[in-house]
Amino acid sequence: MNSTRLSFTRRAVLSAAVAATGTLALTGCLAGENAASTTEASGTTATELNIDFATYNPLSLVIKDQGWLEAELEDEGVTVNWVQSAGSNKANEALRAGAVDVGSTAGSAALLARSNGSPIKTIDIYSQPEWSAMVTVEGTGIESLEDLRGKSIAATKGTDPYFFLVQSLESAGIDPSEVTVQNLQHADGWAALNNGSVDAWAGLDPIMASAEQEGAELFFRNIDFNTYGFLNANEEFLEESPELAQTVVNAYEKARAWAKENPEETAQILAEVAGIDVELANAVIIERTNLDVDPAPGEAQRKVLEKVGPSFVETGDVSSQDKIDEALDSLFDDSFISNADPDAIKAS
């Protein structure tokens, strides 16, 4: 993939930061509410679907924009509630709290959550992105990973950029104790780098690509350190509302086909939601996001996560390798993809 210099306006950074703050408030509010289903004598009938959307998950943006779930579920009396996720860590928090039934994360974040007891299953792979890299700006003196020793780095713990950082440090022979990691949400991380509060940032698209337009430099890239985009669901939701979960997966596969056929329209949707230039959104969708990927969670994702898993134990994010192994054995559920029927989703 070429490293086309892309971009950002300060307005876009502030817009993303405000969106992240709003998400925190909304997530906290929803976490205190009851789950969206009622139990009857004949079984469980869902009356609501709580589902996330995120700028790092373009298929979620397409589904929300097209209104397919609302059109499909209206006759069944199911209300669709969309909740924005500012990052994988926030999606995981919402899933664990029952604030959303379905949420999108990076693969590393899904494995971390499952390893630490979150009852989630991955039911769809929504993308294979190059969405993380190490970012700096002029004046920091950083030109390579070796220059990070003694430096301050912004990263959102529990997300792919954080684990990209961990792997990057390991590859350069740098112990985590030799750097200072500031745990900031993605938009805040770029803002901190831009105002000189940190020396480097473990970035995430589309904010990262936008930062390039503002003069930021991606000084280290490695697509193999990026994990896939995982669509996850609460196990209770899958057990009680399998038909509703199937509808979600059907919509995702309809969105995949639509986005592949309409990349520019997909980029336009991303631009509007993220508050970024269409040119930038085009680069994120076309150059850094592979939607033409096998949607069934399985061996390809397991191989990637087997490389990432041990770092969780080394950093203390997971207590033992046994928990990693157990999570890898129980995380994936490909049954919904096996039964996926995109044509079952009617147009809005």
Side-chain angles (χ1 to χ4, degrees), residues 272-316:
E272 292 174 359
V273 176
I276 59 178
D277 295 340
V278 173
E279 177 187 359
L280 168 62
N282 266 304
V284 171
I285 295 297
I286 297 171
E287 297 177 18
R288 296 186 180 180
T289 304
N290 176 21
L291 298 176
D292 191 17
V293 61
D294 185 350
E299 192 59 29
Q301 290 73 41
R302 184 182 180 103
K303 286 181 179 179
V304 172
L305 295 183
E306 283 176 342
K307 296 178 183 178
V308 176
S311 68
F312 295 169
V313 181
E314 294 171 8
T315 58

Side-chain angles (χ1 to χ4, degrees), residues 14 29 32 34 38 63 76 81 106 114 119 136 143 156 158 167 180 196 215 238-240 248 292 304 342:
L14 293 174
C29 175
N34 293 329
T38 56
I63 295 168
E76 299 177 28
N81 300 315
R114 182 80 191 188
T136 193
E143 297 181 356
T156 309
Q167 293 175 90
T180 300
L238 295 178
E239 292 169 0
E240 296 184 347
V248 171
D292 191 17
V304 172

Side-chain angles (χ1 to χ4, degrees), residues 64-146:
K64 183 176 184 293
D65 179 78
Q66 296 296 307
W68 291 329
L69 286 175
E70 288 83 353
E72 188 68 24
L73 298 173
E74 182 179 11
D75 291 344
E76 299 177 28
V78 177
T79 300
V80 180
N81 300 315
W82 290 96
V83 179
Q84 185 170 9
S85 290
S88 293
N89 59 327
K90 295 305 171 186
N92 273 332
E93 287 177 11
L95 281 163
R96 187 156 194 159
V100 296
D101 304 305
V102 182
S104 43
T105 73
S108 57
L111 177 62
L112 176 65
R114 182 80 191 188
S115 298
N116 285 323
S118 183
I120 61 170
K121 291 279 191 179
T122 301
I123 58 176
D124 194 349
I125 303 301
Y126 60 81
S127 71
Q128 183 187 27
E130 186 192 11
W131 53 16
S132 301
M134 294 305 302
V135 187
T136 193
V137 293
E138 187 177 355
T140 62
I142 296 174
E143 297 181 356
S144 67
L145 292 176
E146 287 72 18

Side-chain angles (χ1 to χ4, degrees), residues 12 28 30 60 71 89 109 120 122 143 151 180 195 207 211 214 225 248 253 255 260 271 290 312 321 344:
L30 287 172
S60 70
N89 59 327
I120 61 170
T122 301
E143 297 181 356
K151 300 293 187 178
T180 300
N195 67 28
I207 303 169
E214 189 87 350
F225 288 177
V248 171
E253 292 316 298
K260 287 165 59 179
N290 176 21
F312 295 169
Q321 183 61 40

